[in-house]
Amino acid sequence: MSEAQPSSGQSLRRYLDHPRGGPTVLRIVLGTQLRRLREAAGVTREAAGDAIRGSHAKISRLELGRVSCKERDVADLLTLYGVTDDTVRDDFLKLARRTSSPGWWHQYGDVLPGWFETHLGLEEAASVIRTYEVQFVPGLLQTADYARAVAQLGHPRSTPEEIERRVRLRVQRQELLTLPDAPRVWAVLDEAALRRPLGGREAMAGQLRHLLTLSELPNVTLQIAPFSLGGLAAAGGPITILRFLEPDLPDIVYLEQLTSALYLDKRDDVDHYLAVMDRLSAQSESPRESLAMLERMLKEI
């Protein structure tokens, strides 16, 4: 038995006993463990690809957690890497089966872009979510009326039924905030996003009241980046950084674009965006003053 097998088995057991984050996170965990076994065994990606009748590119995608993996392929790779312990092999195969199970968001597949599914899975598994938004209130903090206005703006050709499904998806996603093991959410909102009356006066007033209510949750911190700051370190782009307790999951920077998204996990990239977020937080109003600003904005509507 290789030295990597006991630690691999213990790590996999944590996810099998306490699954969180759906198939997205499970794929990343499985891929990370298989990569460690391959490297410990001194096997190249090319050789691993040959063992499962594939290519080194397929092994790369598998190890990055970008694709689910057939049980047969996992079994063949474990044999190649010298994993003989039946319990460890069984745990790997169980995890492989679960990577193909749909997440709760699968029911919204008709209105959910594939590139956003990854974010939902990572969001569920995160211990800390730091986010900065310029144009909109972050999705996790939106009311249904505000989310409806955002959906109508972003999908002008959608039917009313499709818009409502997008709203329900967003509302269901927000249940994460009040779970027993809810992540800490630290959001910096640009004043422009709060001054823009998206959805009309009543919808915006409801959104501001909702932010005040959410700020009472022990795991939610809100800051406002006021107009008086002028230029900001983020250079105008929205940023989300997801951090995890599990060692198998690296910090990930999520950069959403109009029709796609970037997921960055290289240490240099993550450190750069963490520094940006730290500067934004330092430059923005304190949480106390930010709440006072929200109350003043609500009175002005």
Side-chain angles (χ1 to χ4, degrees):
M1 180 187 296
S2 70
E3 294 181 1
Q5 289 186 51
S7 61
S8 295
Q10 292 166 7
S11 182
L12 293 183
R13 178 54 54 186
R14 288 199 303 270
Y15 288 96
L16 290 170
D17 292 342
H18 304 286
R20 182 174 174 179
T24 301
V25 169
L26 296 182
R27 286 197 299 267
I28 295 174
V29 171
L30 178 63
T32 298
Q33 292 297 334
L34 288 173
R35 175 182 55 78
R36 289 175 179 169
L37 288 174
R38 179 181 60 76
E39 292 174 347
V43 177
T44 66
R45 286 196 178 93
E46 288 76 10
D50 291 341
I52 61 171
R53 300 150 298 280
S55 64
H56 72 280
K58 180 178 180 179
I59 293 296
S60 179
R61 290 193 299 271
L62 189 156
E63 292 181 349
L64 290 171
R66 293 175 181 170
V67 294
S68 57
C69 191
K70 297 177 182 178
E71 288 182 64
R72 175 188 173 187
D73 290 343
V74 172
D76 289 344
L77 289 175
L78 293 176
T79 298
L80 178 66
Y81 303 155
V83 179
T84 57
D85 185 283
D86 289 338
T87 300
V88 174
R89 289 178 67 91
D90 186 55
D91 284 347
F92 268 95
L93 296 177
K94 285 180 180 176
L95 193 60
R97 284 195 292 273
R98 292 190 183 181
T99 64
S100 299
S101 300
W104 63 262
W105 50 84
H106 182 73
Q107 61 185 306
Y108 298 102
D110 57 324
V111 294
L112 179 63
W115 50 265
F116 193 64
E117 290 186 35
T118 299
H119 180 66
L120 291 178
L122 294 172
E123 190 175 72
E124 278 206 343
S127 60
V128 178
I129 301 172
R130 298 183 66 179
T131 186
Y132 167 69
E133 280 282 357
V134 184
Q135 185 174 2
F136 302 114
V137 170
L140 278 175
L141 310 179
Q142 294 177 5
T143 64
D145 286 342
Y146 186 94
R148 187 172 296 108
V150 172
Q152 290 169 340
L153 183 65
H155 306 276
R157 298 179 182 178
S158 292
T159 65
E161 291 76 16
E162 290 171 335
I163 293 296
E164 289 308 308
R165 284 182 58 72
R166 288 189 166 90
V167 173
R168 286 199 296 273
L169 167 63
R170 184 145 299 184
V171 171
Q172 187 170 349
R173 172 185 165 201
Q174 294 168 359
E175 294 175 4
L176 176 69
L177 295 177
T178 52
L179 293 176
D181 54 352
R184 179 188 174 195
V185 176
W186 184 358
V188 178
L189 291 75
D190 197 284
E191 184 176 351
L194 301 173
R195 293 290 185 184
R196 187 175 293 108
L198 194 61
R201 179 180 176 278
E202 289 188 9
M204 202 62 210
Q207 178 62 69
L208 294 179
R209 284 193 292 269
H210 185 59
L211 290 173
L212 288 168
T213 299
L214 288 176
S215 69
E216 298 174 1
L217 293 175
N219 57 308
V220 175
T221 299
L222 301 180
Q223 289 185 269
I224 296 176
F227 288 140
S228 59
L229 280 181
L232 294 173
I239 301 169
T240 297
I241 303 174
L242 303 115
R243 310 200 75 173
F244 309 89
L245 293 177
E246 290 294 343
D248 292 330
L249 295 172
D251 294 346
I252 292 177
V253 176
Y254 172 75
L255 304 175
E256 186 170 320
Q257 301 170 344
L258 189 61
T259 58
S260 63
L262 294 176
Y263 295 88
L264 309 178
D265 61 4
K266 291 183 179 180
R267 191 69 255 172
D268 288 347
D269 291 335
V270 172
D271 286 345
H272 172 75
Y273 280 97
L274 280 172
V276 168
M277 287 296 293
D278 286 343
R279 288 199 298 273
L280 278 170
S281 298
Q283 292 174 333
S284 298
E285 299 292 352
S286 68
R288 183 187 295 267
E289 178 53 32
S290 295
L291 297 185
M293 285 185 68
L294 285 173
E295 290 172 347
R296 290 195 295 270
M297 290 179 190
L298 187 56
K299 291 178 181 179
E300 294 170 4
I301 291 182

